[in-house]
Amino acid sequence: MQYTAPIRDIKFVMHELLKFEEHYKTIPAFAEVDKDTLDSFVEAGADFAQNELSPLNRTGDEEGCRFENGNVYTPTGFKEAYKQYCELGFTSLCGDVEYDGQGMPISLGSIINEIVGSANWSFSMYPGLSEGAIRTIEHHGNDEQKSTYLSKLITGEWTGTMCLTEAHAGSDLGIIRTKAEPNDDGSFAITGQKIFISAGEHDMADNIVHIVLARLPNAPQGTKGISLFIVPKFNINADGSIGERNAVTCGSIEHKMGIKASATAVLNFDKAKGFLIGTENKGLNCMFTFMNTARIGTAIQGLTASEVAFQGGLSYAKERLAMRALSGAKVPEQVADPIIVHPAVRNMILTTKAFAEGGRALVYYLSQFADVVAKGEDPAQVAYADQMLSLLTPIAKAFLTETGYESANHGVQVYGGHGFIREWGMEQNVRDTRIACLYEGTTEIQSLDLLGRKVLGSQGKMLANFTKVIHKLCEEHKDNDEMGQFVRPLARLNKDWSDLTARIGMQSVENPDAVGANAVDYMYFSGYVTLAYLWAKMALVAQQALKGDTTEAKFYNAKIKTAQFYFAKLLPRTLTYVKRIDSGLEPLMSMEVDEFVF
Amino acid sequence: MQYTAPIRDIKFVMHELLKFEEHYKTIPAFAEVDKDTLDSFVEAGADFAQNELSPLNRTGDEEGCRFENGNVYTPTGFKEAYKQYCELGFTSLCGDVEYDGQGMPISLGSIINEIVGSANWSFSMYPGLSEGAIRTIEHHGNDEQKSTYLSKLITGEWTGTMCLTEAHAGSDLGIIRTKAEPNDDGSFAITGQKIFISAGEHDMADNIVHIVLARLPNAPQGTKGISLFIVPKFNINADGSIGERNAVTCGSIEHKMGIKASATAVLNFDKAKGFLIGTENKGLNCMFTFMNTARIGTAIQGLTASEVAFQGGLSYAKERLAMRALSGAKVPEQVADPIIVHPAVRNMILTTKAFAEGGRALVYYLSQFADVVAKGEDPAQVAYADQMLSLLTPIAKAFLTETGYESANHGVQVYGGHGFIREWGMEQNVRDTRIACLYEGTTEIQSLDLLGRKVLGSQGKMLANFTKVIHKLCEEHKDNDEMGQFVRPLARLNKDWSDLTARIGMQSVENPDAVGANAVDYMYFSGYVTLAYLWAKMALVAQQALKGDTTEAKFYNAKIKTAQFYFAKLLPRTLTYVKRIDSGLEPLMSMEVDEFVF
């Protein structure tokens, strides 16, 4: 499938819905970033993604990565595309200007990530992992570490990784076994095996900077005994040049369902030289910097899946002829009508559209808070943004990846049997997207984070911040005829959200399992309400534009109709989640382990 | 993953829930089929599936089929396994005794198909397609055709196919272009291209008997101008031996998302010699015999997907250690608790269990009606069974494949990142199952068939047959304390089902698009109610067993608890479907085609 960057919709969200230019003016570091700058980056990204990356998406999937004698070879064209990607300045976009970065806001980075990732998710994994390593060293590295690694990572000359998972420890990082023993020179000898390391080994960069979780001797058990280390693939000489190979080797790469052009390595550390980042035993805290970036990145993957399914499904649905509309032939001169006339097909296309455009709004919205957290100067503004970002990140990660996967499956379904074969790219979208619900914290882990740590952990305060925003929109427009269709149900759901939270809070006092039992349902409920808020706002912006002098009535009408579809056909899913939560714990917990048999 | 046939549960459904032995006594042809016969076939099937087919499942996926110079080679071991399968009498199980079949009931065939298909779905495609060809020739072939083809197909010496789809025509068979021109000898010259032909070419049998849809010269346009032909790969000599190669060749095989060991062929017919089956231009009617068999077969695929996910997920969830139960450590001597203690994991496992066991009950239940339709002698009994089968087939096909696909994804999710790699078989289950929602009529086509042709097309009569059955169960047990928890909600839903049907019927009088717009939601609603009926009945059987003298209290308790889970956690999904239906057509139909853009 040839990807086309949805530039009109991106501009709608940037300029009309979220007013990026005004937002940047509240953050001194970004005050100069204006509409033209944004547009020119977006257009450059679109150009590169469409012309260079999209054509490599299917070939990359077919060819996959190749493992040979400890080396990993990326598919044909990837190395060259990566070189160009660096030269065009995409790796350095949001990097610190002190270390060769361009100092652009994260919200612009998210847009570029969306465009690049929609064209070729496997490709985007390589710079994506670097981004996490960059953020971690920026925040937690000492000056020497910054000057050794940051420029190289920001220019893309080197890439980075995130080495958390071990074969027996994924969601539960507290039980990792990789150890770090102090060397005499202040460095550490890292020993252990890490698995599922994206971009862990490849042929696109001169060096790879691994960020590794390991345990110091006598570290406390569990998550409070984990430290964070930088372990370069090649040691660095005093002059910054590349030295000898470090004792970290790639044992194999995984055979995966999808993202086959992304190398997923097993890495063996055999007394590899590593350098402590941040404080001893506080590694997991530092890692959260990395993980939050990665979670937003994965939320973006969900959005790209919906966009790819929407584009693929819509193109086919307009062309493919089958049967007549039940209400009478729509294109009588053809042998049959295009399938977009059939309601079941429209339902699938509109679902992908609602999730893609709603997901875009959510990702850009939360990225604005990330801008403030990164560079805001007003402490109250930063504190508020930090809370909003904390609340919205697990929602975006879990909800957008799950709905992205649903969308990807609709993309296949629109094509009928043709969706199941390689030719159209729809089945690849399913395979590539499946991982998004698993890595960087599964849907279940995100849901626990949302309900347990964020909402209940803040005694409802983080949630209240957001329900106030929603309440305000509803109040402002409750007497407005056009907006009533949206704000009336939204206001009810907003109240339900608080009530539901209170009910679960009560349940969890009696039984701590209530958090785990309700978390996923709660996450979905939260996601649907969050997107309902954004769809209501998008409808409002479109209504206002239509009252002005616009040549784009079709675009704005489509927005309003998609919002109507979302409210009528997707929001009813909330009923199920509420009912499930209210049905209690017993049906989930009563089965004894030894009664589970086959 | 090593598959284990769930023999205890199969026997529960056969003997305790559906009382197969009693059922067979109502059909003279099967009056001799007793419990021991059933059990011995099930055990033989389990033995073969576990020992021969399960080990070939992953290797078959990895190796796939190979196309070379018009020939197709199945993966290592398939040919030998197929030979054994024939020798053990599995291909001949339900075949006509007059043509070397064993004359066993379809309901037993469904059980063997479940067991074989759970172990290796790709393998089961080859005999599965033959079965459809056999049924078609049995019903519509003339005596000469029967004596030429049936024995060979029933013994498995030859296999069969079903050649419907063309590149431009899948769901809409009315627009196929393959033509059949009369030859002087009474045969026809078939010319055209068919795609997506399962088992269309392979190396496992001496001949392949293609059942082909084509148009005679001057045939009426659309579905009323389609005829059905037998086109053998090799022509048959007068003495029944194999003659010259017919002009049908394999052009290529598809690169698919899954079922990679099943050869999906493009077949080119170039004046191939074919023989008319049944009446000219009535081919689609004959084809329905084939398709109904195939739809039940595909419903079984959905059930197998849930079973495989349940077995895979449960095994892992009992072994994998991660984190502590929120309610306190359950296995303090280990580094962490097995993940089955976590409610979100239990939710996924119980969902797969409820769909697998509920799906099994549905498939066996509808297969009993198929038995009666095939061999019943009492016209009233046959007419009733025919109606029940007609109603339940599209529900089973669409609902069990969609829930099977959902289950397959839960299977992956339970494994976390490990689910995304090849090693555990969970991602293969997803890839293999995805096709089930597409082939033999997509979910959308099944839903139209259910709502449009069956329910509304019979003025609600077919539905009323079934709601009466449900009503009876509810009335019988409404004052029973233990069953009240099930029959009260079931009675409400049963009434809702009729009301909902009436509302859609009214809507469709005003606007014919109402059928298409509501069909999929209606199918899901119907599926959840159907399974609720079966789960209520299973709970009843389990309750009764527990009152007797049983050593299997765990098994029966698990049944009741799974029923409780189903009612509490899965049945609330019906709320969403009702709300969607009641939100009307406008949100689905209002977008103009040219407003759909990106």
Side-chain angles (χ1 to χ4, degrees):
Chain A
M1 196 197 92
Q2 172 57 49
Y3 166 71
T4 305
I7 289 185
R8 181 64 190 90
D9 200 62
I10 289 172
K11 289 184 179 175
F12 173 79
V13 180
M14 279 199 306
H15 304 314
E16 298 171 72
L17 179 72
L18 298 175
K19 304 189 188 312
F20 270 29
E21 207 175 52
E22 287 177 30
H23 155 71
Y24 292 142
K25 293 215 188 311
T26 69
I27 307 165
F30 304 136
E32 309 287 295
V33 181
D34 63 8
K35 188 170 175 300
D36 286 350
T37 309
L38 291 169
D39 287 351
S40 67
F41 272 112
V42 167
E43 275 149 29
D47 194 51
F48 181 71
Q50 293 170 183
N51 298 321
E52 306 300 327
L53 295 179
S54 185
L56 295 177
N57 192 42
R58 180 172 154 194
T59 55
D61 178 62
E62 288 179 30
E63 195 179 332
C65 290
R66 186 164 51 85
F67 175 74
E68 222 177 86
N69 298 327
N71 297 314
V72 174
Y73 302 91
T74 54
T76 309
F78 271 56
K79 203 171 160 169
E80 294 74 15
Y82 179 72
K83 192 158 176 275
Q84 238 187 302
Y85 185 84
C86 296
E87 284 165 6
L88 287 166
F90 292 119
T91 59
S92 64
L93 195 63
C94 303
D96 194 329
V97 287
E98 218 180 306
Y99 299 99
D100 295 321
Q102 299 174 68
M104 285 289 142
I106 290 168
S107 52
L108 176 59
S110 289
I111 298 174
I112 299 299
N113 288 348
E114 180 206 327
I115 294 171
V116 166
S118 301
N120 193 326
W121 189 263
S122 282
F123 177 89
S124 77
M125 292 289 291
Y126 297 91
L129 269 289
S130 293
E131 238 174 274
I134 292 167
R135 292 293 96 77
T136 305
I137 297 174
E138 277 179 0
H139 280 81
H140 305 288
N142 59 32
D143 286 345
E144 193 195 334
Q145 290 167 343
K146 286 184 187 174
S147 69
T148 307
Y149 299 104
L150 275 181
S151 285
K152 298 288 191 182
L153 286 167
I154 286 172
T155 57
E157 202 175 322
W158 300 352
T159 65
T161 75
M162 181 168 178
C163 301
L164 290 76
T165 305
E166 301 179 7
H168 69 291
S171 296
D172 188 356
L173 292 170
I175 57 176
I176 63 161
R177 295 183 196 133
T178 296
K179 47 184 191 175
E181 291 164 307
N183 295 325
D184 294 341
D185 63 356
S187 69
F188 293 81
I190 311 291
T191 304
Q193 188 183 64
K194 295 286 180 179
I195 68 164
F196 298 163
I197 308 308
S198 299
E201 180 58 49
H202 60 81
D203 57 356
M204 308 204 306
D206 297 336
N207 203 356
I208 301 177
V209 180
H210 303 293
I211 309 281
V212 184
L213 285 187
R215 310 181 70 85
L216 290 166
N218 308 318
Q221 282 209 324
T223 52
K224 288 179 177 147
I226 294 175
S227 305
L228 197 61
F229 300 87
I230 300 180
V231 183
K233 174 179 168 185
F234 289 97
N235 291 313
I236 322 295
N237 296 325
D239 64 356
S241 64
I242 285 182
E244 287 190 347
R245 183 72 191 251
N246 200 352
V248 47
T249 52
C250 176
S252 63
I253 56 175
E254 302 290 354
H255 297 281
K256 307 187 300 294
M257 182 183 188
I259 55 165
K260 294 187 184 219
S262 166
T264 306
V266 173
L267 291 184
N268 296 313
F269 296 85
D270 185 15
K271 299 197 175 169
K273 198 171 199 173
F275 306 92
L276 183 72
I277 312 178
T279 314
E280 289 186 3
N281 299 331
K282 300 273 184 211
L284 220 57
N285 298 352
C286 304
M287 207 75 197
F288 271 117
T289 307
F290 209 143
M291 282 198 276
N292 283 332
T293 308
R295 285 173 179 183
I296 298 173
T298 309
I300 292 173
Q301 184 177 9
L303 147 62
T304 68
S306 289
E307 179 67 27
V308 167
F310 171 54
Q311 293 194 9
L314 178 57
S315 309
Y316 194 71
K318 284 183 168 183
E319 275 173 22
R320 175 77 174 183
L321 307 176
M323 296 182 287
R324 292 297 179 191
L326 291 178
S327 51
K330 298 289 179 270
V331 192
E333 65 276 19
Q334 300 261 35
V335 65
D337 286 333
I339 60 174
I340 197 164
V341 308
H342 303 311
V345 174
R346 298 176 77 89
N347 179 55
M348 293 190 280
I349 306 274
L350 283 164
T351 301
T352 57
K353 184 176 195 288
F355 285 140
E357 297 176 7
R360 179 169 299 121
L362 174 54
V363 165
Y364 296 7
Y365 178 58
L366 83 86
S367 295
Q368 287 187 316
F369 295 115
D371 290 341
V372 176
V373 171
K375 296 284 178 185
E377 294 185 4
D378 169 2
Q381 186 199 19
V382 172
Y384 177 80
D386 192 42
Q387 293 210 347
M388 286 296 283
L389 184 62
S390 295
L391 179 79
L392 292 174
T393 299
I395 296 177
K397 196 284 183 184
F399 186 75
L400 296 187
T401 59
E402 291 285 349
T403 55
Y405 188 63
E406 178 189 332
S407 294
N409 276 296
H410 291 313
V412 166
Q413 194 71 16
V414 169
Y415 280 71
H418 293 272
F420 192 67
I421 61 171
R422 189 192 274 169
E423 192 175 354
W424 301 94
M426 293 293 103
E427 62 88 31
Q428 185 188 341
N429 193 32
V430 171
R431 289 186 291 101
D432 286 353
T433 305
R434 186 64 187 84
I435 189 63
C437 309
L438 297 164
Y439 62 12
E440 310 311 340
T442 63
T443 298
E444 292 70 28
I445 294 286
Q446 301 300 328
S447 301
L448 278 178
D449 180 52
L450 172 67
L451 177 58
R453 290 188 69 226
K454 306 294 170 62
V455 174
L456 299 179
S458 71
Q459 277 82 42
K461 192 166 164 246
M462 282 193 192
L463 177 63
N465 285 343
F466 189 35
T467 55
K468 270 179 213 156
V469 172
I470 298 174
H471 182 71
K472 185 160 169 280
L473 179 79
C474 294
E475 282 296 302
E476 277 170 16
H477 298 282
K478 68 180 174 184
D479 301 322
N480 168 339
D481 279 353
E482 284 167 321
M483 282 300 286
Q485 60 183 314
F486 305 116
V487 296
R488 276 190 301 268
L490 179 59
R492 267 196 306 276
L493 279 167
N494 198 35
K495 184 171 179 308
D496 289 348
W497 200 359
S498 302
D499 294 347
L500 196 62
T501 307
R503 289 206 296 283
I504 298 174
M506 298 288 281
Q507 268 188 40
S508 73
V509 174
E510 286 170 42
N511 186 339
D513 274 327
V515 176
N518 293 317
V520 173
D521 291 318
Y522 185 84
M523 176 282 293
Y524 276 113
F525 182 91
S526 304
Y528 283 106
V529 180
T530 301
L531 242 59
Y533 162 71
L534 291 162
W535 269 113
K537 267 200 94 163
M538 290 196 279
L540 178 65
V541 171
Q543 286 168 357
Q544 286 164 346
L546 283 167
K547 282 177 197 150
D549 188 22
T550 177
T551 57
E552 297 184 299
K554 275 183 191 164
F555 177 82
Y556 294 114
N557 278 325
K559 272 283 169 227
I560 295 167
K561 289 176 183 177
T562 309
Q564 287 165 335
F565 172 83
Y566 181 84
F567 274 76
K569 299 293 184 186
L570 296 176
L571 217 41
R573 296 181 183 185
T574 51
L575 295 172
T576 295
Y577 300 113
V578 173
K579 180 81 174 178
R580 275 174 59 97
I581 289 171
D582 289 337
S583 74
L585 299 187
E586 188 64 12
L588 210 47
M589 304 309 289
S590 67
M591 185 99 80
E592 303 295 332
V593 171
D594 62 358
E595 288 173 347
F596 276 104
V597 285
F598 53 85
Chain B
M1 195 198 93
Q2 173 58 49
Y3 165 70
T4 305
I7 289 184
R8 180 65 191 90
D9 201 61
I10 289 172
K11 289 184 179 176
F12 173 80
V13 181
M14 277 199 303
H15 304 314
E16 300 172 69
L17 180 72
L18 299 175
K19 304 188 190 311
F20 270 30
E21 209 175 50
E22 287 177 31
H23 154 73
Y24 292 143
K25 293 213 189 309
T26 71
I27 308 165
F30 305 135
E32 310 287 296
V33 181
D34 62 8
K35 189 169 172 299
D36 286 349
T37 309
L38 291 169
D39 288 351
S40 67
F41 272 112
V42 167
E43 275 148 29
D47 193 53
F48 181 71
Q50 292 170 183
N51 297 321
E52 305 300 325
L53 296 179
S54 185
L56 294 177
N57 192 42
R58 178 170 156 195
T59 55
D61 178 62
E62 287 178 30
E63 195 180 332
C65 289
R66 186 163 52 85
F67 176 75
E68 221 177 88
N69 299 324
N71 297 313
V72 174
Y73 302 92
T74 53
T76 309
F78 270 57
K79 205 171 159 170
E80 294 74 15
Y82 179 73
K83 192 157 174 278
Q84 239 188 303
Y85 184 84
C86 298
E87 285 166 3
L88 287 166
F90 292 119
T91 59
S92 64
L93 194 64
C94 303
D96 194 328
V97 287
E98 218 180 309
Y99 300 99
D100 295 321
Q102 300 174 68
M104 285 288 142
I106 290 168
S107 51
L108 175 59
S110 289
I111 298 174
I112 299 299
N113 288 347
E114 180 208 324
I115 294 172
V116 166
S118 300
N120 193 326
W121 189 263
S122 283
F123 176 88
S124 77
M125 293 288 290
Y126 297 91
L129 269 289
S130 294
E131 239 174 276
I134 292 166
R135 294 292 97 77
T136 305
I137 297 174
E138 278 178 358
H139 279 83
H140 305 289
N142 58 34
D143 287 344
E144 194 195 331
Q145 290 167 343
K146 286 183 188 175
S147 69
T148 307
Y149 299 103
L150 275 182
S151 284
K152 297 288 192 183
L153 286 166
I154 286 172
T155 57
E157 204 176 321
W158 299 351
T159 65
T161 75
M162 184 169 176
C163 301
L164 291 74
T165 305
E166 300 178 7
H168 70 290
S171 297
D172 189 355
L173 292 170
I175 57 177
I176 62 159
R177 293 182 196 134
T178 297
K179 49 184 188 176
E181 290 162 308
N183 295 324
D184 294 342
D185 63 356
S187 69
F188 293 82
I190 312 291
T191 304
Q193 189 183 64
K194 295 286 179 179
I195 67 164
F196 297 161
I197 308 308
S198 300
E201 180 57 49
H202 59 81
D203 57 357
M204 307 204 306
D206 297 336
N207 204 358
I208 301 176
V209 181
H210 304 294
I211 308 280
V212 184
L213 285 187
R215 311 181 70 84
L216 290 166
N218 307 317
Q221 282 207 322
T223 51
K224 290 180 176 143
I226 295 174
S227 305
L228 197 60
F229 299 86
I230 300 179
V231 183
K233 174 178 168 186
F234 289 96
N235 291 313
I236 320 296
N237 296 324
D239 65 355
S241 64
I242 286 182
E244 287 191 345
R245 183 73 191 249
N246 201 353
V248 47
T249 52
C250 176
S252 63
I253 55 174
E254 303 290 353
H255 297 281
K256 306 188 299 295
M257 182 182 188
I259 55 165
K260 294 188 184 217
S262 166
T264 306
V266 174
L267 290 184
N268 296 312
F269 296 84
D270 185 16
K271 300 198 175 167
K273 198 170 197 174
F275 306 93
L276 183 71
I277 312 180
T279 314
E280 289 187 2
N281 298 330
K282 300 275 184 206
L284 221 57
N285 297 353
C286 304
M287 207 74 198
F288 270 117
T289 307
F290 209 141
M291 283 198 277
N292 284 331
T293 308
R295 283 173 181 184
I296 299 174
T298 310
I300 292 173
Q301 185 177 8
L303 148 60
T304 69
S306 290
E307 179 66 28
V308 168
F310 171 54
Q311 293 194 11
L314 178 57
S315 309
Y316 194 71
K318 284 183 168 183
E319 274 173 23
R320 175 78 174 183
L321 307 176
M323 297 183 287
R324 293 298 180 189
L326 291 178
S327 51
K330 297 289 178 270
V331 192
E333 65 276 19
Q334 299 262 36
V335 64
D337 285 333
I339 61 174
I340 197 161
V341 307
H342 303 311
V345 173
R346 298 176 77 88
N347 179 55
M348 293 190 280
I349 305 275
L350 283 165
T351 301
T352 58
K353 183 174 195 289
F355 286 140
E357 296 176 6
R360 178 168 301 121
L362 175 54
V363 166
Y364 296 8
Y365 178 57
L366 82 85
S367 295
Q368 288 188 317
F369 295 116
D371 290 340
V372 177
V373 171
K375 297 283 179 185
E377 295 185 5
D378 170 3
Q381 185 199 18
V382 172
Y384 177 80
D386 192 44
Q387 292 209 348
M388 286 296 283
L389 184 62
S390 295
L391 178 80
L392 292 174
T393 299
I395 295 176
K397 197 284 182 185
F399 185 75
L400 296 186
T401 60
E402 291 286 347
T403 54
Y405 189 62
E406 178 190 330
S407 295
N409 277 295
H410 291 313
V412 166
Q413 194 73 16
V414 169
Y415 281 72
H418 293 273
F420 193 66
I421 61 171
R422 190 191 275 170
E423 193 176 352
W424 301 93
M426 293 293 104
E427 63 88 29
Q428 184 187 344
N429 192 30
V430 171
R431 290 187 290 100
D432 286 353
T433 305
R434 186 63 187 87
I435 189 62
C437 309
L438 297 164
Y439 61 11
E440 309 312 338
T442 62
T443 298
E444 292 70 27
I445 294 286
Q446 301 299 328
S447 301
L448 279 176
D449 180 51
L450 171 67
L451 178 59
R453 290 188 68 226
K454 306 293 171 64
V455 174
L456 299 179
S458 70
Q459 277 81 43
K461 194 169 161 245
M462 282 192 192
L463 177 63
N465 286 343
F466 189 34
T467 54
K468 269 179 215 157
V469 172
I470 299 174
H471 181 72
K472 187 160 167 281
L473 180 80
C474 295
E475 281 297 303
E476 278 170 15
H477 298 281
K478 70 180 173 184
D479 302 320
N480 169 338
D481 279 353
E482 283 167 322
M483 281 301 286
Q485 60 184 316
F486 305 116
V487 295
R488 277 191 299 270
L490 179 58
R492 269 197 304 277
L493 279 167
N494 198 36
K495 184 174 180 307
D496 289 349
W497 199 1
S498 301
D499 294 349
L500 196 62
T501 307
R503 290 206 295 282
I504 298 174
M506 298 288 280
Q507 268 189 37
S508 73
V509 174
E510 286 169 41
N511 187 339
D513 275 328
V515 177
N518 294 317
V520 174
D521 291 318
Y522 185 84
M523 177 282 294
Y524 276 113
F525 182 91
S526 304
Y528 283 107
V529 180
T530 302
L531 243 59
Y533 162 70
L534 290 163
W535 269 113
K537 268 201 93 162
M538 290 196 279
L540 177 66
V541 172
Q543 286 168 359
Q544 287 164 344
L546 284 167
K547 283 175 196 151
D549 187 23
T550 178
T551 57
E552 298 183 298
K554 275 183 190 165
F555 176 82
Y556 293 114
N557 278 325
K559 271 284 167 225
I560 295 168
K561 289 175 183 176
T562 310
Q564 287 166 335
F565 172 82
Y566 181 84
F567 273 76
K569 300 293 183 185
L570 296 176
L571 217 42
R573 296 181 183 185
T574 52
L575 295 171
T576 295
Y577 301 114
V578 173
K579 179 83 173 175
R580 276 175 58 97
I581 289 171
D582 289 337
S583 74
L585 299 186
E586 188 65 14
L588 211 47
M589 304 310 289
S590 67
M591 186 100 81
E592 303 294 333
V593 170
D594 62 359
E595 287 173 349
F596 276 104
V597 285
F598 53 83

